[in-house]
Amino acid sequence: MTLPIVLSPEVAEARAAGGPIVALESTIITHGMPYPQNVETAQSVEACVRENGATPATIALMGGKLHVGLTNEQLFELAQAENVAKVSRADIAVVLAAGGYGATTVAATMIAAHLAGISVFATGGIGGVHKGAETTFDISADLRELSETPVTVVAAGAKAILDLEKTYEVLETLGVPVIAVGQDTLPAFWSRASHLSAPLRLDTASEIAAAQKMRTAMGIPGGQLVANPIPAESEIAAEVLAPVIKQALQEAESKGIHAKDVTPFLLGRIFELTEGRSLTANIALVLNNAQLAAQIAVEMSKS
Ligand code: PSU
Ligand code: MN
C-alpha cells in the first residue's frame, strides 16, 4: 500500500529543492498548552523556523492522513478539535488507519519526520523516566525512538517533572548521544542547569549537524538528543519549581492519573500553580529550540 502522507505546499516545495526542513510536534499544541496560547505558540514557532532559513513541518494525523506541514486552517482545526488522541509509536498506525485526529508525541513525530525525509526536529522537552518508575514502569517511548530513528531532536532537556538521572541513564544504555549546547551541565527544561554533568557538549549548529551525519555514515541507527538550555531571562529557578512539581506529583498520585495522562496533567497543574509562569517559560524555550533546529537543518542541507 502507499502511505497516506500529505505534505503541505511549503514542505513539498522545500523537499523538492532539497532545502532545510524542521519537523514540529503537535502533542505540545493539543495536550501541552491551553488554547489560545497553543495556536499562538505553534504559529510563532513556525515563523521562527522560517526566519532562520528553514521550512517548518508541523506533524499531525487528521482524517486518515499523516500531515507533514499544516496550513493555518488545519492548525486551528486541530487545536480546537475534541477527542484528539495523543499518539506515540504504539498507536500511530491504529489512529491513522481509523481516520481520527492524532497529535504526535516526540516518538511519533520522529517516525513521521523520517518517513518524510526530515532529519531535524524541534520540541520543548522529551518524555522520559517518570519518578516512581521502579513501581509504575512509566518510561516514555520517546527514549527508545531516539535510539532507533535517525532524527536530531532539539529540546530543553527532559521535562523536570521526570526522574532526570534515570532518564539520562536509560538514554546512555540505549546508545543515544545527549549533547548539551554551550554548557557542561544538562539543562532541566524550565531551568538552565541541573546538577547532572553533560555526557557530551557541542557549541555550534554545524558541529551538531556533522555529528548526526557521521553517525548515519557509520551505520549506527538512531538520532541525537540536543539539550539546549532555556534563555537566561526566561528560566525559573529549580528551587522555585521543586515544591510545585512535588505538589503536582502528589495530586496526580492521589487522583490515580496514569499512563499517557500523567504528563498533560502535571504540565496543566504546574501552569496553574505558577500562575502561568511555567507556560511563559515553556514558550520561550520552544522558540529557542526552533531557532537552533533551523540552524542545524541549514547545516545538514549543505552537502
Ligand atoms: N514538550 C513540551 N510539552 C509537551 C510535550 C513535550 O514542552 O506536552 C509532550 C511531547 O509530545 C512528549 C510527550 O513526547 O509530552 C511525552 O509524553 P509521555 O510522557 O506520555 O511519553
Ligand atoms: Mn508514559
Side-chain angles (χ1 to χ4, degrees):
M1 70 178 286
T2 47
L3 281 176
I5 295 192
V6 178
L7 304 185
S8 67
E10 139 182 71
V11 170
E13 200 180 305
R15 213 176 64 157
I21 306 175
V22 173
L24 301 165
E25 63 153 303
S26 45
T27 294
I28 192 169
I29 303 172
T30 56
H31 294 72
M33 291 185 185
Y35 183 83
Q37 288 96 334
N38 58 352
V39 193
E40 288 162 12
T41 304
Q43 289 174 318
S44 24
V45 168
E46 290 199 348
C48 176
V49 169
R50 291 189 194 100
E51 278 157 27
N52 287 279
T55 300
T58 302
I59 290 173
L61 310 183
M62 297 171 84
K65 304 273 188 254
L66 172 52
H67 287 275
V68 177
L70 298 181
T71 62
N72 234 352
E73 293 71 42
Q74 288 168 332
L75 198 62
F76 272 92
E77 183 186 335
L78 181 77
Q80 292 173 296
E82 277 163 36
N83 300 320
V84 182
K86 173 182 163 188
V87 304
S88 187
R89 171 177 277 261
D91 29 29
I92 186 169
V94 175
V95 175
L96 187 56
Y101 287 104
T104 53
T105 59
V106 168
T109 305
M110 290 178 74
I111 293 170
H114 183 49
L115 284 171
I118 302 169
S119 52
V120 184
F121 161 25
T123 183
I126 61 157
V129 181
H130 280 266
K131 293 184 204 272
E134 55 275 30
T135 49
T136 62
F137 277 47
D138 190 349
I139 301 176
S140 178
D142 293 351
L143 301 185
R144 214 198 57 156
E145 204 60 52
L146 279 160
S147 74
E148 293 199 355
T149 303
V151 174
T152 289
V153 179
V154 183
K159 283 187 276 283
I161 52 176
L162 300 165
D163 186 322
L164 296 184
E165 268 101 339
K166 290 193 181 70
T167 298
Y168 292 113
E169 278 301 334
V170 169
L171 285 169
E172 188 194 6
T173 302
L174 292 172
V176 176
V178 176
I179 302 163
V181 181
Q183 63 181 34
D184 297 317
T185 53
L186 286 166
F189 199 65
W190 293 288
S191 323
R192 280 181 71 77
S194 66
H195 54 286
L196 302 171
S197 57
L200 295 161
R201 170 185 171 161
L202 294 176
D203 291 1
T204 65
S206 71
E207 291 170 301
I208 296 166
Q212 178 71 63
K213 282 188 182 174
M214 188 61 78
R215 186 175 175 99
T216 303
M218 291 179 78
I220 307 174
Q224 335 186 85
L225 175 61
V226 175
N228 189 28
I230 182 172
E233 64 276 16
S234 306
E235 78 167 331
I236 308 179
E239 313 82 76
V240 174
L241 270 176
V244 172
I245 293 172
K246 198 170 165 203
Q247 183 180 339
L249 285 165
Q250 278 162 355
E251 289 180 18
E253 196 179 342
S254 65
K255 285 185 186 336
I257 310 286
H258 69 281
K260 58 193 200 177
D261 297 332
V262 173
T263 298
F265 175 84
L266 294 174
L267 292 177
R269 277 306 280 148
I270 293 167
F271 167 71
E272 289 161 5
L273 294 168
T274 60
E275 288 162 354
R277 229 183 121 200
S278 67
L279 180 60
T280 311
N282 200 341
I283 294 169
L285 67 85
V286 179
L287 285 168
N288 189 47
N289 295 341
Q291 177 172 12
L292 177 60
Q295 292 163 352
I296 296 169
V298 168
E299 291 297 329
M300 298 271 286
S301 71
K302 295 179 185 163
S303 50

